[in-house]
Each structure stands twice: as structure tokens, then as C-alpha cells.
Amino acid sequence: MATIFSKIIAGEIPCFKVAEDDRFFAFLDINPLVKGHTLVVPRQEVDYIFDLSDKDLAAMQVFAKMVAAAIKKAFPCKKVGEAVIGLEVPHAHIHLIPIQKESDMLFSNPKLKFSDEEFRAIAEAIHQNWLNAL
Ligand code: 5GP
């Protein structure tokens, strides 16, 4: 059965997309720790990120690097932090989180709430910077 992220990639479940190419897809986390919290996923359905081939894992990091640059331009921050957990959704994904301080990355923090309109504007800001860098 397809994972929820495969359904998002297929357009069967809506998301706020920020970037994509032929192998990877990036969209806003629906329960963001901070504004701009983004997930990067491979189109290939693999649960554990370290089960990806060396080549695919490296390519995913390069894609994440480009998305992180677009996030940083849209939402100036000290750094874009990267985290991999994957205990909730069995489809490998990288969290990209614009941070001002270490505690911004704490997954135990309360999650932010945004309206669809706000999510759309956040995704669009990142997407524009993504397009500008291509
Ligand atoms: P993890 O598997 O890394 O522990 O957590 C999965 C992440 O995916 C969570 O941060 C959660 O908010 C996010 N997530 C789960 N389901 C959806 C969904 O349907 N849409 C979006 N945009 N994010 C989701």
C-alpha cells in the first residue's frame, strides 16, 4: 500500500509543495516547528533513509541543500537545520528547519498552526527562491 507521502507526491492528498525534480519532492510539514519547516522525500518508496543506495542518499542531500538555500532566502535564519527521524511515516524524509537557536529543532516543542492561506504563502516564498536558483 502506498505511503501517505507517495499519495502526496501523486497528488492524491493535498500538500503545500515547495520544490520537486524527477527523483525528489519537497513540501511543508503540516505540523511545523517553525515557519518554513519543510520535508524532503524521495519519490522512491523506502522506509529507512539508510536503506537508500549511496548514490540516491547523496543525491537526496544535494536536493535538500538546494531546498535549504531557498528556505534560507525566503526566511532568513542562522542556519537551516536538518533532522531525520522517520518513526511516524514509513517513507524516508529529511526535515529542513530554519533555526535561530538550537531549541528551535526540538521536536517536543509545540507545533505552529497556520491557515491554508498562510501555508500557501510560505510555500510560494520558498518555491520562488527555488525557481530563481535553477
Ligand atoms: P517523523 O516520521 O519524521 O517522525 O514525522 C513525520 C512528519 O511528517 C511529522 O513532522 C508530521 O507533521 C509530518 N506529516 C505527517 N503526515 C503529514 C501529511 O499528511 N502532510 C504533511 N505535509 N506532513 C505530514
Side-chain angles (χ1 to χ4, degrees):
M1 205 178 76
T3 68
I4 193 157
F5 289 171
S6 287
K7 289 180 182 169
I8 285 174
I9 292 167
E12 293 164 15
I13 292 177
C15 76
F16 299 96
K17 183 173 79 177
V18 305
E20 68 176 322
D21 70 5
D22 56 335
R23 281 193 287 172
F24 305 103
F25 195 92
F27 56 100
L28 297 181
D29 193 305
I30 206 69
N31 301 303
L33 283 169
V34 298
K35 191 187 269 194
H37 182 167
T38 296
L39 301 175
V40 169
V41 305
R43 291 181 186 276
Q44 182 192 353
E45 216 173 68
V46 171
D47 176 358
Y48 186 41
I49 195 165
F50 295 130
D51 283 337
L52 286 168
S53 70
D54 292 357
K55 198 164 155 254
D56 289 341
L57 182 61
M60 188 170 172
Q61 286 291 352
V62 172
F63 181 86
K65 174 180 172 177
M66 292 164 66
V67 176
I71 292 172
K72 200 164 190 298
K73 279 219 164 109
F75 300 105
C77 53
K78 280 220 173 113
K79 291 193 170 171
V80 174
E82 186 182 271
V84 175
I85 302 178
L87 290 178
E88 185 189 321
V89 179
H91 188 145
H93 51 282
I94 293 171
H95 293 257
L96 294 176
I97 304 169
I99 53 171
Q100 303 295 352
K101 54 187 188 309
E102 186 183 317
S103 60
D104 289 340
M105 295 267 312
L106 289 178
F107 280 81
S108 52
N109 285 345
K111 308 302 185 291
L112 301 182
K113 299 274 181 220
F114 294 118
S115 65
D116 280 6
E117 204 175 308
E118 289 169 322
F119 268 124
R120 231 185 318 277
I122 295 165
E124 185 54 27
I126 300 170
H127 182 64
Q128 274 311 320
N129 283 298
W130 162 266
L131 289 179
N132 291 345
L134 291 180

